[in-house]
Amino acid sequence: MIIHFFKNRAKDRIDFSQLIDDYFDSIENSKIESTDEELKVTINLPQFACEYTYLITKRSRVSSIYKLNSEFVNINLLCEIPEVLPQYVMRIILKQINELCEKFELSIYHDQIDNIKDFKLFELLQLLIKDRAKYLRENPTYVAYSIPEHILNQVCLYQQICDRLPSLVSNDVIPCNYITLMDKHSKNVEFAINWKVEQPVVFPPELSYVQVEEEDNLIVLIPADIFFKYATRFTSEIKDKTVDLKMMYLNEKGCLKVKKLLKKMKKHMVSISNFDIISLTNLIEE
């Protein structure tokens, strides 16, 4: 999806040095590159392994510009958003675009709307969802996996706050992202988390498996219900009003106790070869 940005002629002209140096350069995980034809700002969302891009071009790339409201001027700024993303990630991107529009008094245009308009997050979100559906219809070889929306939202929320985990448990826990698995036989999407034995860990919701990594680099996949049958009594729930997630914490002392029970769990282990690891951004809501 491409969003174009316009400025009302009656308002002050945009200060591009402020836009680039003070705004884009201050965004976390942004990268600015320039050529003779364009300036490119790439914003990376590392917790979701995806990125989106702003371009400032020499010439307008709006094909129907002469049909649009003449009270607005095209500032030759556009944003390119990946076609297939979970709605949760779409909203993160759109909130940043909304911030941009408010800060620099910009309006937007997309080829699926009739004219230049003020930014409205819900309206743009619906356009992104429609664009995603259209893209998947027109590109049948692109594989997207549907899962219940409430599960996908929980997974995305955990990914977003993952870096905050050490502050939530007041301990030296190393945050672990979800491992997204696709069962080669059933084609079901499953979620796992990696646990390095003896290392404190946070277990997020919606887990199907725990990937246990031992000191000799032996990695086994244990069904979550089996793992927690033995491990739950050694964990504690993280209580934080700012995070609406049920997360369980296994501290260092608990790790040592669970380690002693691994032999019993391994009777139920599943081969990792039964799964393909897929990207979280290949998931969409049912």
Side-chain angles (χ1 to χ4, degrees), residues 204-221:
E206 309 300 344
L207 289 179
S208 298
Y209 297 95
V210 174
Q211 180 175 282
V212 178
E213 182 178 348
E214 298 187 76
E215 295 91 333
D216 53 2
N217 294 322
L218 175 66
I219 296 177
V220 298
L221 205 60

Side-chain angles (χ1 to χ4, degrees), residues 178-224:
Y178 278 104
I179 303 167
T180 309
L181 304 170
M182 192 275 292
D183 189 303
K184 293 179 181 178
H185 304 291
S186 69
K187 305 302 180 184
N188 290 334
V189 174
E190 312 284 1
F191 296 102
I193 203 79
N194 190 70
W195 174 47
K196 290 186 178 180
V197 174
E198 297 187 12
Q199 181 174 291
V201 63
V202 172
F203 296 107
E206 309 300 344
L207 289 179
S208 298
Y209 297 95
V210 174
Q211 180 175 282
V212 178
E213 182 178 348
E214 298 187 76
E215 295 91 333
D216 53 2
N217 294 322
L218 175 66
I219 296 177
V220 298
L221 205 60
I222 297 174

Side-chain angles (χ1 to χ4, degrees), residues 7-31:
K7 182 87 170 178
N8 192 310
R9 295 179 187 274
K11 296 183 178 180
D12 293 339
R13 297 179 64 180
I14 191 165
D15 184 336
F16 279 96
S17 63
Q18 182 184 9
L19 174 68
I20 298 165
D21 298 330
D22 296 342
Y23 182 71
F24 282 136
D25 196 38
S26 69
I27 295 177
E28 189 175 5
N29 298 308
S30 65
K31 179 182 178 183

Side-chain angles (χ1 to χ4, degrees), residues 1 4 33 61 73 86 88-89 107 143 174 197 238 243 249 271:
M1 180 179 187
H4 300 273
E33 304 169 284
R61 296 191 182 179
V73 60
Y88 191 101
V89 181
S107 298
V143 181
I174 298 176
V197 174
I238 297 173
V243 182
Y249 174 55
S271 174

Side-chain angles (χ1 to χ4, degrees), residues 68-218:
L68 303 181
N69 190 338
S70 61
E71 294 180 5
F72 291 83
V73 60
N74 182 11
I75 63 171
N76 295 348
L77 170 67
L78 60 90
C79 182
E80 297 178 336
I81 303 172
E83 299 288 352
V84 181
L85 290 173
Q87 288 184 38
Y88 191 101
V89 181
M90 293 180 187
R91 286 192 289 269
I92 291 174
I93 295 172
L94 291 176
K95 285 177 183 177
Q96 185 275 311
I97 294 175
N98 183 49
E99 178 187 77
L100 170 71
C101 290
E102 289 181 349
K103 184 175 180 66
F104 293 94
E105 298 182 297
L106 302 177
S107 298
I108 59 99
Y109 173 72
H110 176 269
D111 61 12
Q112 296 300 313
I113 58 179
D114 55 2
N115 215 316
I116 299 165
K117 291 187 176 182
D118 289 338
F119 181 93
K120 294 181 180 178
L121 193 148
F122 180 77
E123 183 177 305
L124 265 292
L125 178 61
Q126 297 309 305
L127 280 177
L128 279 172
I129 294 169
K130 289 180 180 178
D131 267 15
R132 183 180 70 182
K134 180 182 177 183
Y135 179 84
L136 292 174
R137 286 195 305 269
E138 294 176 351
N139 297 270
T141 58
Y142 187 99
V143 181
Y145 303 92
S146 299
I147 67 172
E149 183 174 359
H150 73 278
I151 292 178
L152 185 51
N153 284 343
Q154 290 274 290
V155 170
C156 289
L157 174 57
Y158 172 81
Q159 292 288 109
Q160 188 178 19
I161 62 99
C162 194
D163 289 343
R164 290 176 50 200
L165 294 181
S167 66
L168 294 180
V169 297
S170 301
N171 210 305
D172 190 23
V173 64
I174 298 176
C176 294
N177 288 328
Y178 278 104
I179 303 167
T180 309
L181 304 170
M182 192 275 292
D183 189 303
K184 293 179 181 178
H185 304 291
S186 69
K187 305 302 180 184
N188 290 334
V189 174
E190 312 284 1
F191 296 102
I193 203 79
N194 190 70
W195 174 47
K196 290 186 178 180
V197 174
E198 297 187 12
Q199 181 174 291
V201 63
V202 172
F203 296 107
E206 309 300 344
L207 289 179
S208 298
Y209 297 95
V210 174
Q211 180 175 282
V212 178
E213 182 178 348
E214 298 187 76
E215 295 91 333
D216 53 2
N217 294 322
L218 175 66

Side-chain angles (χ1 to χ4, degrees), residues 25-42:
D25 196 38
S26 69
I27 295 177
E28 189 175 5
N29 298 308
S30 65
K31 179 182 178 183
I32 300 175
E33 304 169 284
S34 62
T35 66
D36 291 340
E37 294 299 317
E38 64 188 25
L39 183 139
K40 180 179 180 181
V41 182
T42 304

